[in-house]
Amino acid sequence: MLVSKTFCFSKCGTSLRLASILPRNTRPVGRAFSAYPMADPIEKAKETAARKAVEDHFDPAARYIGIGSGSTIVFVVQAIKDRNEDLSRIRFVPTGYQSRQVIVKAGLQPIHFDSLPSGVLLDVAFDGADEVDEDLNCIKGGGACLYQEKLVATHARKFICVADQRKLQSRLLSKWDRIPIEVEPLAAHSVLERLAALGSQEAAIRSGAIEKSGPIKTDQDNFIVDAKFKHPLLPTPTEAEGDVQGAKEDRQWAVETLAKEIKQIEGVLSVGLFCGENGLEAEKAGKSAGGQKPVAAYFGMENGSVVIRKAGETDVVVNKQGEEKTKDSLQR
């Protein structure tokens, strides 16, 4: 059974160090609190994207708001706090242990997902991503909070993705080279075999930073399998996708097709491909839940601008002065 060393810290498991929720070199800047080390342009870019996303999509009249996992979400919560709105009636639904701690430390009111009233959708959910393609399909699960992240995303009217420029790609598996999959530990070996049959070159159980501690476990006590595939994924199915001539590892998958194939494997709880409909599309179709994709993604750039990507629209660049510019093509 293959076991891979972790390539990022666990944000949901017991290995999380609470001190890592905020970077050490933080300081207040004017009225707002800046939670990034001032010399780190990536962290600053995350904060810029978070503030713009909250400006555009936070509604003080909301009742339930989803809060995702990861370093970018710290900036989202701070941006919500900095609006100086009355937040006492809003309940915030975390996607894991880390995000619950961020909510509590900010003085906000957390609520477990299973405490939501029957039939109620989250007004909005803010979360990050490991990679986002031109059709707003996402790879998520790099921080081992996969199942809860998908629960929250699929029960939100709007999922808003917040990330930095590294996550902005035309196709999935361009820079981020693996698909996280949450699996039942008892079925892990058979899941690895089935992934190999689908063409995964390297599928391995993610282990902790200390190898002797064994595999990382999620909040649901499951394993995370990371599956690599040779080619970037097609945003939408094409006729070429059905051509499986040659070696199986040479097959080029479409995002949604591969997600369905993996989900059918016995023992798979959740697949780290967020695809298909978004929340607004699902609601328009009369569904009570089910949208996985974000309705918009905000990417902080190192030059201080924010790129906003929406389905079927040309990417918009918002500069430091707040001026918007639409580009017919954006260099990625």
Side-chain angles (χ1 to χ4, degrees):
M1 187 179 296
L2 294 175
V3 180
S4 66
K5 292 185 179 180
T6 185
F7 50 92
C8 62
F9 65 89
S10 172
K11 292 174 282 204
C12 287
T14 56
S15 62
L16 172 74
R17 295 168 56 191
L18 290 181
S20 68
I21 289 178
L22 282 175
R24 279 190 280 182
N25 301 328
T26 61
R27 64 184 183 184
V29 177
R31 181 185 63 81
F33 179 79
S34 178
Y36 60 81
M38 298 303 289
D40 190 336
I42 293 297
E43 296 304 305
K44 185 173 182 179
K46 292 176 183 178
E47 182 177 34
T48 304
R51 291 193 176 278
K52 180 59 178 170
V54 168
E55 176 187 326
D56 289 352
H57 296 282
F58 172 76
D59 181 359
R63 290 290 290 117
Y64 300 99
I65 293 178
I67 298 295
S69 309
S71 59
T72 307
I73 295 307
V74 177
F75 302 120
V76 169
V77 173
Q78 190 60 50
I80 291 174
K81 283 285 291 182
D82 287 342
R83 292 180 64 83
N84 291 326
E85 305 274 3
D86 178 10
L87 306 175
S88 60
R89 64 187 299 276
I90 302 177
R91 297 298 177 262
F92 294 85
V93 181
T95 60
Y97 178 79
Q98 178 235 8
S99 54
R100 182 178 177 84
Q101 297 307 308
V102 173
I103 292 168
V104 171
K105 283 177 178 289
L108 305 178
Q109 296 294 318
I111 182 176
H112 289 294
F113 176 84
D114 58 3
S115 296
L116 286 170
S118 178
V120 169
L121 291 176
L122 304 175
D123 296 283
V124 64
F126 296 96
D127 203 352
D130 302 311
E131 199 164 59
V132 184
D133 74 10
E134 61 190 18
D135 201 41
L136 289 175
N137 299 302
C138 301
I139 293 178
K140 291 177 52 59
C145 300
L146 177 54
Y147 180 60
Q148 291 192 63
E149 289 177 341
K150 186 156 283 192
L151 270 180
V152 168
T154 56
H155 286 78
R157 286 191 174 88
K158 296 192 301 181
F159 162 28
I160 304 300
C161 181
V162 186
D164 62 78
Q165 64 185 34
R166 299 170 300 173
K167 316 303 175 65
L168 174 64
Q169 302 295 331
S170 58
R171 292 188 179 183
L172 299 185
L173 296 181
S174 292
K175 297 294 184 182
W176 187 270
D177 66 350
R178 60 202 72 193
I179 300 169
I181 305 162
E182 188 161 343
V183 304
E184 162 62 41
L186 190 63
H189 183 70
S190 61
V191 170
L192 293 175
E193 290 180 337
R194 288 290 297 119
L195 288 169
L198 292 177
S200 178
Q201 296 175 298
E202 300 176 37
I205 298 169
R206 191 186 302 176
S207 68
I210 302 175
E211 193 166 356
K212 67 179 181 180
S213 66
I216 282 178
K217 287 197 171 183
T218 69
D219 283 357
Q220 288 69 47
D221 224 25
N222 294 316
F223 289 169
I224 293 290
V225 166
D226 294 306
K228 290 186 177 182
F229 288 84
K230 185 174 181 180
H231 300 291
L233 304 181
L234 299 169
T236 56
T238 67
E239 292 181 5
E241 186 207 351
D243 183 3
V244 291
Q245 294 181 356
K248 59 190 176 187
E249 60 268 19
D250 284 334
R251 179 171 183 177
Q252 188 168 25
W253 289 94
V255 178
E256 195 168 356
T257 307
L258 181 58
K260 289 178 180 178
E261 288 285 344
I262 296 175
K263 188 64 173 69
Q264 289 176 358
I265 301 174
E266 193 68 37
V268 169
L269 178 63
S270 192
V271 182
L273 293 172
F274 286 54
C275 53
E277 296 176 319
N278 62 41
L280 295 178
E281 291 168 339
E283 190 172 31
K284 186 176 180 180
K287 300 176 183 178
S288 58
Q292 297 182 20
K293 290 199 304 187
V295 299
Y298 289 69
F299 304 92
M301 313 301 281
E302 288 191 35
N303 65 5
S305 65
V306 176
V307 173
I308 304 173
R309 176 171 288 179
K310 297 181 180 180
E313 298 183 16
T314 303
D315 293 344
V316 171
V317 180
V318 182
N319 64 21
K320 290 181 179 181
Q321 292 73 40
E323 300 167 336
E324 295 188 3
K325 181 179 180 181
T326 302
K327 289 188 175 181
D328 293 330
S329 60
L330 179 70
Q331 184 177 356
R332 301 183 174 97

